[in-house]
Amino acid sequence: MTDMTLADLSKKMADIDFAMLSTRAENGAIAARPMSNNGDVEYDGDSWFFTYEEAHTVADIERDAKVGLSFQGAKSLLGKPPLFIAVEGTAELIRDKVAFAAHWTKDLDYWFEQGIDTPNIVLIKVNARRIHYWNGKDEGEIRL
């Protein structure tokens, strides 16, 4: 086990764009889907993702706010295994344009053509409670 801090982990996550967001589906199954953090990567324990109101993700979170995120970094130049991160957290659904603007990047215009005024968009905030990471042979846990 190693003792990586949240700040150390944040630096290592800077180049990771996509996470798999796992929720509990209506039938009790685990549902996972890729979500982009859209360059909002100064990780402080909170992750931010945009989606549409009608997505199953939103209904899943309304039913059970406990979610999981998994991240995978790139393989190192020397062939060392990549960084893996598993996050246990609580999701919050935000429908506030001020919050949208705070986390908006131009790349989102591809998916949400009217920007923060796109009808039925929702911002998902995942607040980490526990982070487990594997970095080559090292592993550790950060509790928040």
Side-chain angles (χ1 to χ4, degrees), residues 1-139:
M1 293 289 264
T2 61
D3 290 323
M4 193 180 305
T5 66
L6 187 58
D8 297 332
L9 189 62
S10 177
K11 288 177 191 170
K12 291 184 177 291
M13 291 175 71
D15 295 327
I16 302 174
D17 182 19
F18 284 90
M20 290 299 289
L21 170 61
S22 299
T23 59
R24 180 79 57 193
E26 185 175 11
N27 65 1
I30 300 295
R33 75 281 294 157
M35 301 292 284
S36 172
N37 61 29
N38 306 300
D40 199 352
V41 293
E42 288 188 33
Y43 192 68
D44 61 0
D46 292 332
S47 298
W48 305 88
F49 308 103
F50 284 91
T51 192
Y52 283 99
E53 186 74 46
E54 58 274 7
H56 290 290
T57 310
V58 172
D60 291 352
I61 291 169
E62 286 174 335
R63 227 180 353 271
D64 185 348
K66 292 179 185 170
V67 300
L69 294 172
S70 57
F71 297 88
Q72 177 183 331
K75 191 179 251 190
S76 77
L77 295 175
L78 302 175
K80 183 179 168 184
L83 172 68
F84 295 96
I85 303 163
V87 175
E88 294 174 27
T90 304
E92 176 184 350
L93 300 170
I94 300 169
R95 296 170 176 91
D96 174 61
K97 287 186 182 181
V98 173
F100 294 174
H103 295 282
W104 198 262
T105 66
K106 198 72 180 144
D107 292 340
L108 287 164
D109 292 340
Y110 177 81
W111 299 103
F112 308 98
E113 294 177 0
Q114 295 176 39
I116 64 171
D117 295 316
T118 301
N120 301 321
I121 61 172
V122 177
L123 179 61
I124 301 170
K125 174 185 177 184
V126 177
N127 180 257
R129 300 288 187 227
R130 185 174 88 100
I131 303 167
H132 199 109
Y133 60 85
W134 298 263
N135 190 22
K137 292 182 179 180
D138 296 328
E139 71 173 283

